[in-house]
Amino acid sequence: MDPHDTVLQSHHAELAALRARVSRLEQNERDLCDELGRANAVLKAVPYLLSVHDPVERRMLYENRSLAGELGYPTDDADLAGLDAFVALAHPDDQTRAREQLDHAGDGHASDLAELAYRLRKADGSWCWVTRREIVLARDSAGAPRQVLSVSQDITGRKDTEVEQRRQAEELGVSKRLIDNALDGITLTSMSGQVVYANPAFKAMSGFGDRAVGLGLSDFYSPESFRQLSDEVVPILMTDGAWRGVLKIRRPDGSEWMGQTSAFVVVGPAGEPTGMAAFFRDITEQLRYEQETLAQMRVIQAQQAALRELGTPLIPIAEGVIAMPLIGAIDRERAQQILETLLNALGERRAAVAILDITGVKAVDGEVAAALIRVAQAARLLGADVVLTGVRPVVAQALVDLGTELRGLVTCGTLQSGIAYALKRRGAPDDRPSTNASSLAIQREV
């Protein structure tokens, strides 16, 4: 076959493939348009007002329905368009909260948990209750929100229902049933200190059962705890009208339990005190658990301190010479521990030479090298030298690659050579190699 024909056939095949691909893409585009149309229809039908806005530029990016239209205003009213409509139409008592919600969204604090309810004025002059929830959809590279979804719902009917439910609750005595079934203990005490009501929870946790009603406060406390109640709690309660704290309460069998207490004064129609109400929660086990946890933490801290001491052992080699073999990884906290331990040892033992053996150190990076330099500089201030031993070739190469200046450090290949140098150094104060020579020696060794 002629090569020219072969090329033409190949081009025809590629063209057919491209046409087929374009056809598929066009079909996909039509499908996406249909799907987008259905999605828009669904969004317009949901019982929520959905809008997306940019809180930085304060402009609306999308809304499924107009807020103005939902409230009966002309949809082309420019004063009621955009984000400010929620503030402009808000009840005077709610405008501050509405404004704060918009500002919080711009500060990046929007959350689906931050739902606020406030009143909006309708075109006919009536007020409707609306909940508004802000959710951040997208942020810029600095973390500032750039797309915030607002979900609003008319809850006027729900508010009316809540009012009716509260009225029915008062009529049917729901409050009494709630108190009777509360997990916390609840009591009502007369001004003379006699318990006139106790719910089942308090009767059970106090251990008195039904006998709790009619007893005086002194029956529930040891003499010491009752003095605390009389001398500290009651005066604050009478002065401030409320008190919160923990009381140690006694059962009939003599055992005691710790009650987290919230008490307040009950006043009559004229504002006069008629009694004292209190809520109790038994936190005995909680306090015991906290104490056990604290004790465990103290044990762990003691163990960690012991491990830190084991991680920085000091070995006296000779008069004026100490060695510290280091094993494992060295982080910032351990480097500080090494520095403190070594300086304390130099001061207590009046050592002239300290040997740091890093044979067992897993890796030496820039931070570890800087820590060793700090140790050497601090030791020099105390009139001592630091000898670094156990520098393996891979560690020496790492120090060279990092460009670390080992100024103030004398380096030896092995612990034995370091000890030999230290013993020699004791008798010859001026016979020590320069740190630059040591650094060059490391480079030649590598």
Side-chain angles (χ1 to χ4, degrees):
M1 179 181 290
D2 185 72
H4 181 69
D5 294 338
T6 302
V7 173
L8 287 176
Q9 288 180 359
S10 175
H11 288 172
H12 284 309
E14 292 178 357
L15 182 59
L18 287 174
R19 287 173 177 171
R21 183 178 179 185
V22 170
S23 178
R24 289 194 300 271
L25 290 175
E26 290 175 346
Q27 183 60 44
N28 289 340
E29 182 180 6
R30 288 192 294 270
D31 294 340
L32 288 174
C33 288
D34 293 341
E35 186 67 25
L36 182 60
R38 287 191 293 270
N40 285 331
V42 171
L43 290 176
K44 291 183 180 299
V46 296
Y48 303 98
L49 288 178
L50 304 176
S51 63
V52 179
H53 66 276
D54 185 333
V56 176
E57 299 181 2
R58 301 190 68 82
R59 61 188 180 90
M60 190 72 72
L61 304 176
Y62 167 82
E63 58 182 352
N64 63 339
R65 293 192 303 276
S66 167
L67 173 65
E70 291 294 306
L71 298 179
Y73 296 96
T75 56
D76 58 352
D77 190 338
D79 294 335
L80 301 180
L83 301 174
D84 291 333
F86 284 94
V87 179
L89 297 177
H91 190 279
D93 295 340
D94 301 334
Q95 284 187 351
T96 300
R97 292 189 297 124
R99 173 63 65 185
E100 288 177 349
Q101 188 179 42
L102 290 176
D103 293 340
H104 284 333
D107 295 338
H109 300 304
S111 168
D112 56 355
L113 300 179
E115 181 178 274
L116 291 180
Y118 43 82
R119 291 157 288 183
L120 296 180
R121 185 180 69 253
K122 301 177 70 173
D124 60 4
S126 63
W127 297 95
C128 66
W129 279 95
V130 174
T131 60
R132 181 182 172 94
R133 181 183 305 164
E134 303 281 329
I135 305 171
V136 175
L137 296 181
R139 299 177 183 270
D140 59 20
S141 59
R146 294 309 303 262
Q147 292 184 11
V148 176
L149 170 66
S150 296
V151 182
S152 304
Q153 182 183 14
D154 187 341
I155 60 168
T156 306
R158 185 197 307 175
K159 282 289 186 179
D160 294 339
T161 301
E162 290 175 356
V163 172
E164 179 63 19
Q165 287 177 343
R166 285 195 295 270
R167 186 186 65 81
Q168 292 178 357
E170 293 173 356
E171 293 178 353
L172 299 176
V174 173
S175 299
K176 177 64 167 58
R177 292 199 298 271
L178 289 174
I179 293 174
D180 287 343
N181 290 280
L183 296 178
D184 292 339
I186 302 175
T187 62
L188 181 63
T189 307
S190 66
M191 294 303 296
S192 62
Q194 183 183 35
V195 176
V196 297
Y197 169 80
N199 72 336
F202 181 83
K203 293 177 181 178
M205 68 177 61
S206 69
F208 284 95
D210 293 336
R211 294 188 297 116
V213 177
L215 295 177
L217 290 178
S218 59
D219 296 318
F220 295 92
Y221 301 91
S222 66
E224 179 182 356
S225 298
F226 185 71
R227 280 195 299 272
Q228 177 192 4
L229 180 70
S230 303
D231 298 342
E232 299 178 15
V233 177
V234 173
I236 296 176
L237 189 61
M238 293 296 101
T239 301
D240 300 340
W243 179 87
R244 288 184 179 182
V246 177
L247 295 173
K248 183 184 293 186
I249 308 172
R250 187 176 61 181
R251 296 187 179 93
D253 60 4
S255 63
E256 293 182 319
W257 55 284
M258 304 303 294
Q260 184 175 345
T261 309
S262 176
F264 61 93
V265 176
V266 180
V267 297
E272 76 285 2
T274 60
M276 297 171 287
F279 294 81
F280 298 89
R281 178 170 296 178
D282 188 348
I283 59 171
T284 308
E285 291 301 321
Q286 175 184 337
L287 293 177
R288 181 180 295 114
Y289 173 77
E290 292 176 353
Q291 292 172 355
E292 292 175 353
T293 302
L294 181 60
Q296 292 175 355
M297 291 179 59
R298 289 173 178 169
V299 171
I300 292 173
Q301 291 172 352
Q303 292 174 343
Q304 291 176 340
L307 290 175
R308 285 195 296 268
E309 292 179 0
L310 293 174
T312 53
L314 276 172
I315 302 174
I317 301 299
E319 182 69 26
V321 180
I322 58 176
M324 179 183 289
L326 302 177
I327 300 175
I330 299 179
D331 55 13
R332 183 174 301 177
E333 182 178 355
R334 191 179 179 199
Q336 183 64 27
Q337 177 73 16
I338 293 170
L339 177 62
E340 294 175 358
T341 303
L342 187 61
L343 294 183
N344 290 335
L346 291 174
E348 293 174 358
R349 300 174 184 270
R350 300 183 180 277
V353 182
I355 302 173
L356 287 180
D357 182 55
I358 63 170
T359 304
V361 176
K362 295 181 180 179
V364 175
D365 56 13
E367 185 173 348
V368 174
L372 296 175
I373 296 299
R374 290 198 302 272
V375 171
Q377 292 173 344
R380 293 293 292 273
L381 292 176
L382 296 178
D385 287 334
V386 174
V387 180
L388 184 66
T389 67
V391 181
R392 304 186 305 280
V394 64
V395 174
Q397 184 64 55
L399 293 174
V400 172
D401 292 342
L402 290 169
T404 305
E405 289 280 346
L406 298 180
R407 185 170 299 138
L409 275 174
V410 177
T411 59
C412 295
T414 64
L415 177 59
Q416 291 84 349
S417 61
I419 294 175
Y421 166 78
L423 295 177
K424 181 180 178 181
R425 173 76 184 90
R426 287 191 310 157
D430 298 329
D431 183 18
R432 67 181 168 191
S434 68
T435 55
N436 291 335
S438 300
S439 299
L440 292 174
I442 291 177
Q443 297 179 31
R444 287 196 296 271
E445 183 179 358
V446 176

